[in-house]
Amino acid sequence: MTARVGVITFPGTLDDRDTQRAVRAAGLEAVPLWHRDKDLKQVDAVILPGGFSYGDYLRAGAISRFSPVMDSVIDQAKAGMPVLGICNGFQVLTETHLLPGAMLRNNHLHFICRDQKLRVENAETAWTRSYEQGQEINIPLKNIDGRYVADERVLDELEAEGRVVFRYQELNPNGSLRDIAGICNAAGNVVGLMPHPEHAVEPLIGTGRTDGLGFFTSILKRLVSA
């Protein structure tokens, strides 16, 4: 039986189709999920894709946090289901407190779209098992509210527990504290990052490399071995 990965669409989501394509490229079944539905359709994992959910009114991810589907996602994430938040999805995960900290406007106050080098700091999460610790990958980045912030206590805790999953290399594109590009929860089943791995799964799109495919093959390994 093929493992099923749900991809949530909110009003204003942009990258749900790209994410579904990436899921299928890894040999998984992509299951569309609508923001108003509480039924997760018996999926084995969930991805919150990028975009500008609800137009990012009030604050990025702030309204999506109250979508009916998120009640089910929060419950299942706390029970151990793998959840990945990409860009706006990362913002939503911080708003739900499934991940600590917050995402603020880029320090230069401009939208940024570029290929970004990252270093894999934790290759043991549900979404990074196909990588090696210290590996450098290139993933497209596009955001205006991508600056990760948290107080020093939280930052020290993330560092001490190995929960910084990705770190920006060569330059920090948005002013994120300690060059943090992605983090995970204590259990390692919930991961959020600002860059877009779904745009780097085929040679003809995104960076022209397949550095992002590892996210989706990682969850395949996680679900098959579960």
Side-chain angles (χ1 to χ4, degrees):
M1 183 175 178
T2 304
R4 293 159 52 85
V5 177
V7 179
I8 299 176
T9 299
F10 300 97
T13 295
L14 302 179
D15 298 305
D16 45 347
R17 297 295 182 90
D18 303 76
T19 303
Q20 291 173 28
R21 182 185 181 95
V23 168
R24 291 192 294 269
L28 297 148
E29 180 182 353
V31 180
L33 299 175
W34 184 235
H35 69 114
R36 289 183 177 176
D37 298 331
K38 287 193 173 184
D39 181 10
L40 296 183
K41 301 181 181 179
Q42 298 181 316
V43 297
D44 303 295
V46 169
I47 300 176
L48 284 65
F52 299 91
S53 59
Y54 294 93
D56 277 349
Y57 292 118
L58 300 182
R59 185 174 61 249
I63 300 178
S64 297
R65 180 262 176 274
F66 296 101
S67 292
V69 72
M70 289 308 300
D71 290 335
S72 300
V73 171
I74 292 168
D75 289 343
Q76 291 302 309
K78 290 180 177 178
M81 175 183 281
V83 176
L84 175 66
I86 302 170
C87 196
N88 190 236
F90 186 12
Q91 295 160 346
V92 175
L93 291 178
T94 61
E95 291 290 335
T96 62
H97 304 296
L98 286 173
L99 292 175
M103 310 303 302
L104 301 182
R105 186 62 50 99
N106 295 345
N107 61 345
H108 45 71
L109 305 181
H110 295 289
F111 181 85
I112 186 169
C113 182
R114 67 185 306 274
D115 293 343
Q116 178 66 48
K117 181 177 287 188
L118 306 175
R119 185 174 68 234
V120 180
E121 303 282 29
N122 183 341
E124 301 298 325
T125 78
W127 299 92
T128 57
R129 294 184 177 190
S130 291
Y131 299 108
E132 295 181 2
Q133 185 170 346
Q135 182 177 349
E136 293 188 347
I137 59 177
N138 282 280
I139 302 291
L141 175 74
K142 50 178 185 174
N143 63 69
I144 193 168
D145 295 299
R147 178 161 55 106
Y148 180 76
V149 299
D151 62 38
E152 287 298 311
R153 179 189 61 80
V154 170
L155 293 170
D156 289 344
E157 184 177 273
L158 291 173
E159 300 276 13
E161 296 179 1
R163 292 168 54 193
V164 175
V165 182
F166 297 97
R167 215 180 296 267
Y168 295 117
Q169 296 294 286
E170 296 184 353
L171 66 80
N172 184 324
N174 46 36
S176 290
L177 297 181
R178 303 194 189 182
D179 299 328
I180 291 174
I183 61 173
C184 67
N185 66 344
N189 63 302
V190 179
V191 171
L193 79 161
M194 287 310 296
H196 288 259
E198 76 280 11
H199 295 324
V201 298
E202 295 177 312
L204 295 179
I205 61 173
T207 60
R209 301 164 56 134
T210 59
D211 290 6
L213 188 60
F215 284 81
F216 308 99
T217 58
S218 291
I219 199 60
L220 176 61
K221 293 176 182 179
R222 165 67 169 76
L223 296 175
V224 168
S225 64

